[in-house]
Amino acid sequence: MGRIQDCFKENRDVIVELLSKNLNQIVVRLHKRNVITDSEKLGVECSLSPALGIRDLFYYIEVNDKSEDFIDVLNQTENGGIAHLVRLSANYYFTSELKNSEFAIGTDVVLSCEISNDRTVQWFKNGIELTTCSKYNITKDFLVHQLIIINAQEEDAGDYLCECCYAKTRCRLKAGLQVIKALRDVELVKGETLHLSCKLNRDLNIKWLKNGKEISCDKQTDCKKTSQENLFKYTLKMKNIKMINSGEYSCVCGNFKTSCFVIITDIPIEQIINARTTEKLYEIQGKKEELAQKEEKIVKEETKLLEMETEIRNKAMEIKEKAEEIESQRSKLALKEKEMKEREIQLELKEAKLGELEMEKIMLKKDSLTLTQQSEELKFTRANANMMQNELEKLKNEKTELEKRIEILEKYIDNGSIKHEQTITEIRQTYENMITKMKAEHDDTLSSIDKKLEEMQQKQSGICVVS
């Protein structure tokens, strides 16, 4: 039984719906990895429908034993759910399967199979799951799984299934032919009615033989088959038998045969002698015929009753099969609903993650805009700092020139003039105070600029790290 192909059969609708969206992309990637050949790639691409192409693709993957590459490619194309199904089908399959067989009623029947990996299996009979009970014993010996049917009867015949993931193995059990009631030797008087019957547990196309030759059914000879509770009764009835009807009678079908001897005798002479009158003899014969007619009527009524019971049983079986089919469809629908819910959860997680990324993107844009504004402010501050530096340089130059002029003035000033010296000292002091004040203001400004530059560099480094 196939492995990955079973996965496709069990989940055909879901797989076709999801893979058909990016089938060409999957085929191209598989071809690049040399998983499928040129002709196989062309076969999938030129299929009459996506379903046929995907079915062939699963077949190629299984034949080439490339399930791991297939799973990897499916994951790359956001088909993780299907990849999971393929992995289960590839890893769990039956290395030894169930086989059709017959069993003898009253014996224990053992159904055995072996799985590729250690995993729990499920057992079913005619679509109904089985569990360990007084009738069934379910065992497991590592990879070997067994279902033991205890004291198997006719009703235990049917279709059995062992399932693991998407791997399945089936078999059909039939009850071996069993003779419930065999033909028995009989001795009759000529003119009586012959009744021969046998009961089996099988519905067979039997033949009646006399001394090895087939008996034809006519008005005198009636062949019937009736059934009740899975048992089948085969009857041969012959009216007004004669001496010539003596012999070996057999009920046969293929290798099956049950036989008996029928002996026909004349009316015993003692019965004739003891009969009071010939009329009495005829009266006895009439009562026998009347009794035979009543017996025939009873048999017909029983046959009708059995036919009605059989019809009712068949209707019940049809209803049971329909109910099992509906339950199977419900199980499949529940599985598909579960898969859809899992996909919806995955989609919600992806959408949530996408929302987080969008928020982070917006925050980064906002930080970038802030950084740009701060950068512009820094440029403006640097320009102001340069202007102040230039002004400071001019002041220094002016101070130097002023000092030179003072030196020149001092040469021409009278050394004894105290008033002039005081004036010069006051001028020098005033100028130095002015220079000191401007320098202090300039140093504060430069310190503030340096501090602001350092903060902006730290912010810029933090944004880079977050990005």
Side-chain angles (χ1 to χ4, degrees):
M1 184 178 291
R3 303 174 191 172
I4 299 177
Q5 292 184 81
D6 283 343
C7 173
F8 175 75
K9 292 176 183 177
E10 292 293 328
N11 303 274
R12 181 186 181 97
D13 295 339
V14 175
I15 290 176
V16 170
E17 180 183 357
L18 296 178
L19 289 195
S20 58
K21 298 175 183 178
N22 48 18
L23 179 59
N24 290 336
Q25 183 183 3
I26 293 172
V27 171
V28 169
R29 293 192 178 189
L30 291 173
H31 182 256
K32 287 182 179 179
R33 292 189 178 200
N34 296 322
V35 174
I36 57 175
T37 62
D38 292 338
S39 60
E40 291 171 345
K41 175 177 178 292
L42 183 62
V44 175
E45 292 175 339
C46 297
S47 294
L48 297 177
S49 68
L52 294 176
I54 295 170
R55 181 201 65 183
D56 293 340
L57 179 61
F58 272 71
Y59 171 76
Y60 299 145
I61 296 299
E62 184 168 309
V63 169
N64 298 328
D65 194 19
K66 296 290 187 179
S67 58
E68 288 301 324
D69 289 311
F70 189 36
I71 291 169
D72 188 29
V73 170
L74 289 176
N75 284 324
Q76 291 178 10
T77 53
E78 297 182 355
N79 287 284
I82 297 176
H84 177 66
L85 300 182
V86 172
R87 181 178 286 105
L88 288 178
S89 299
N91 291 337
Y92 300 100
Y93 54 91
F94 288 100
T95 55
S96 175
E97 300 189 0
L98 300 177
K99 297 179 181 178
N100 296 336
S101 62
E102 291 187 358
F103 64 89
I105 292 177
T107 61
D108 292 346
V109 180
V110 179
L111 301 180
S112 180
C113 58
E114 185 176 353
I115 197 72
S116 58
N117 283 298
D118 189 13
R119 190 178 177 92
T120 303
V121 302
Q122 292 175 289
W123 289 92
F124 299 86
K125 179 197 173 187
N126 296 332
I128 300 175
E129 186 173 1
L130 305 178
T131 57
T132 297
C133 59
S134 59
K135 185 64 180 176
Y136 303 107
N137 185 16
I138 298 175
T139 65
K140 175 179 177 291
D141 183 10
F142 189 42
L143 301 180
V144 177
H145 298 264
Q146 289 185 337
L147 171 67
I148 302 173
I149 306 171
I150 302 169
N151 189 22
Q153 300 297 317
E154 180 73 27
E155 58 268 19
D156 291 314
D159 295 324
Y160 287 81
L161 166 69
C162 184
E163 184 177 20
C164 176
C165 297
Y166 298 99
K168 299 178 181 179
T169 177
R170 296 179 174 86
C171 73
R172 174 165 292 180
L173 281 187
K174 293 182 179 180
L177 180 61
Q178 186 177 17
V179 180
I180 309 301
K181 178 183 176 183
L183 295 178
R184 296 180 180 178
D185 296 341
V186 64
E187 185 175 348
L188 299 171
V189 177
K190 72 176 182 179
E192 293 183 334
T193 300
L194 171 66
H195 282 275
L196 296 177
S197 66
C198 64
K199 189 177 289 186
L200 308 174
N201 68 334
R202 285 279 193 88
D203 184 7
L204 303 176
N205 294 321
I206 62 101
K207 296 180 180 179
W208 288 96
L209 305 179
K210 179 197 171 190
N211 296 329
K213 294 183 179 179
E214 186 173 355
I215 299 173
S216 299
C217 296
D218 50 27
K219 293 182 179 180
Q220 184 186 3
T221 305
D222 186 20
C223 304
K224 289 187 177 181
K225 177 182 70 174
T226 57
S227 63
Q228 185 177 13
E229 296 180 356
N230 292 325
L231 297 179
F232 300 88
K233 182 179 180 180
Y234 303 89
T235 304
L236 174 67
K237 179 181 178 183
M238 298 179 67
K239 301 178 181 179
N240 193 23
I241 59 174
K242 301 176 182 179
M243 298 291 291
I244 195 172
N245 296 124
S246 298
E248 181 187 19
Y249 286 77
S250 302
C251 178
V252 300
C253 179
N255 295 327
F256 164 73
K257 180 179 180 181
T258 178
S259 302
C260 69
F261 285 93
V262 176
I263 300 174
I264 311 298
T265 61
D266 286 328
I267 298 175
I269 189 65
E270 292 83 359
Q271 183 176 343
I272 297 174
I273 293 172
N274 292 332
R276 293 181 180 179
T277 61
T278 304
E279 184 179 354
K280 189 69 175 177
L281 185 61
Y282 280 116
E283 183 181 347
I284 293 171
Q285 186 67 30
K287 287 184 177 181
K288 285 186 176 180
E289 290 178 356
E290 184 180 353
L291 183 63
Q293 290 176 357
K294 289 182 178 180
E295 185 179 356
E296 182 180 356
K297 187 176 180 180
I298 291 171
V299 170
K300 288 182 178 179
E301 292 296 330
E302 289 179 347
T303 302
K304 288 182 180 179
L305 181 61
L306 290 173
E307 288 176 352
M308 290 176 65
E309 290 178 349
T310 302
E311 185 178 356
I312 292 172
R313 192 180 296 108
N314 291 336
K315 290 292 184 182
M317 287 295 294
E318 290 179 4
I319 293 171
K320 184 178 179 181
E321 290 176 357
K322 289 291 185 182
E324 291 172 356
E325 184 179 353
I326 292 171
E327 188 62 29
S328 176
Q329 293 294 334
R330 285 179 178 174
S331 299
K332 290 182 180 179
L333 182 61
L335 180 61
K336 289 183 179 179
E337 288 178 351
K338 183 178 179 181
E339 292 176 355
M340 291 302 294
K341 287 181 180 178
E342 290 177 354
R343 291 194 183 97
E344 288 176 357
I345 291 172
Q346 292 178 358
L347 183 60
E348 288 176 358
L349 291 174
K350 289 182 179 179
E351 289 177 349
K353 188 174 181 181
L354 183 61
E356 291 177 359
L357 291 174
E358 288 292 336
M359 287 297 297
E360 187 175 351
K361 182 178 178 182
I362 292 171
M363 292 300 296
L364 287 173
K365 286 184 177 179
K366 187 175 180 181
D367 290 341
S368 177
L369 181 62
T370 302
L371 183 61
T372 302
Q373 293 175 350
Q374 291 178 348
S375 178
E376 293 296 329
E377 292 177 358
L378 181 62
K379 289 180 180 178
F380 181 74
T381 305
R382 283 178 176 172
N384 289 338
N386 290 333
M387 291 176 62
M388 293 179 71
Q389 186 67 31
N390 293 332
E391 291 179 359
L392 183 61
E393 291 296 329
K394 289 180 179 179
L395 289 173
K396 287 181 179 180
N397 293 332
E398 290 178 358
K399 178 185 176 183
T400 304
E401 292 179 357
L402 188 57
E403 288 177 346
K404 289 180 180 179
R405 289 179 181 178
I406 290 171
E407 289 178 359
I408 295 170
L409 284 172
E410 286 178 344
K411 291 179 180 180
Y412 294 99
I413 291 174
D414 184 16
N415 293 332
S417 178
I418 298 172
K419 185 178 180 180
H420 186 67
E421 287 182 14
Q422 289 177 349
T423 301
I424 292 172
T425 301
E426 289 174 359
I427 293 171
R428 183 181 285 120
Q429 187 67 38
T430 301
Y431 195 84
E432 285 179 355
N433 290 339
M434 185 178 64
I435 294 297
T436 301
K437 183 179 179 181
M438 292 182 66
K439 186 176 181 181
E441 290 176 357
H442 183 68
D443 290 338
D444 291 339
T445 303
L446 290 177
S447 176
S448 176
I449 291 171
D450 291 337
K451 186 176 180 180
K452 199 166 186 178
L453 285 173
E454 184 177 0
E455 288 177 354
M456 292 178 67
Q457 288 174 355
Q458 289 177 353
K459 286 184 179 180
Q460 189 174 8
S461 300
I463 291 173
C464 293
V465 170
V466 172
S467 302

